[in-house]
């Protein structure tokens, strides 16, 4: 099949896929990191895109939120 437009990216750190990065995303990141089940986050919990969901991703999301950059924009 062919597509007329490219597939969009998920917002890095928006783990619950609600369009903004906030404390709720930190909770989802923590839960995915600690969970031994196959439950996955709805959005993109790997904020630094290193292939692993860990405490570093939670720190990045917290810093983005506190720095006033919580809104998800294209490519960020």
């Amino acid at each position: 099949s062919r597509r007329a437009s490219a597939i969009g990216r998920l917002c890095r750190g928006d783990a619950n896929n609600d369009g903004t990065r906030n404390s709720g995303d930190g909770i989802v990141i923590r839960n995915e990191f600690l969970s031994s089940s196959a439950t996955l986050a709805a959005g993109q919990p790997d904020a630094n895109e290193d292939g692993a969901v860990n405490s570093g991703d939670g720190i990045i999301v917290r810093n983005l939120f506190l720095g006033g950059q919580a809104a998800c924009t294209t490519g960020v």
Side-chain angles (χ1 to χ4, degrees):
S1 74
R2 297 181 182 172
R3 297 199 181 264
S5 60
I7 297 172
R9 290 180 42 99
L10 294 174
C11 177
R12 292 181 301 179
D14 183 13
N16 58 8
N17 204 25
D18 67 352
T20 188
R21 295 171 285 209
N22 54 35
S23 60
D25 298 303
I27 292 168
V28 172
I29 290 169
R30 183 199 66 208
N31 290 346
E32 183 164 324
F33 174 66
L34 296 175
S35 176
S36 61
S37 68
T39 303
L40 299 175
Q44 169 57 303
D46 188 8
N48 58 9
E49 295 185 331
D50 66 350
V53 177
N54 54 37
S55 60
D57 299 304
I59 291 169
I60 290 170
V61 170
R62 183 195 66 205
N63 290 342
L64 287 169
F65 175 68
L66 293 176
Q69 298 174 338
C72 290
T73 56
T74 305
V76 179

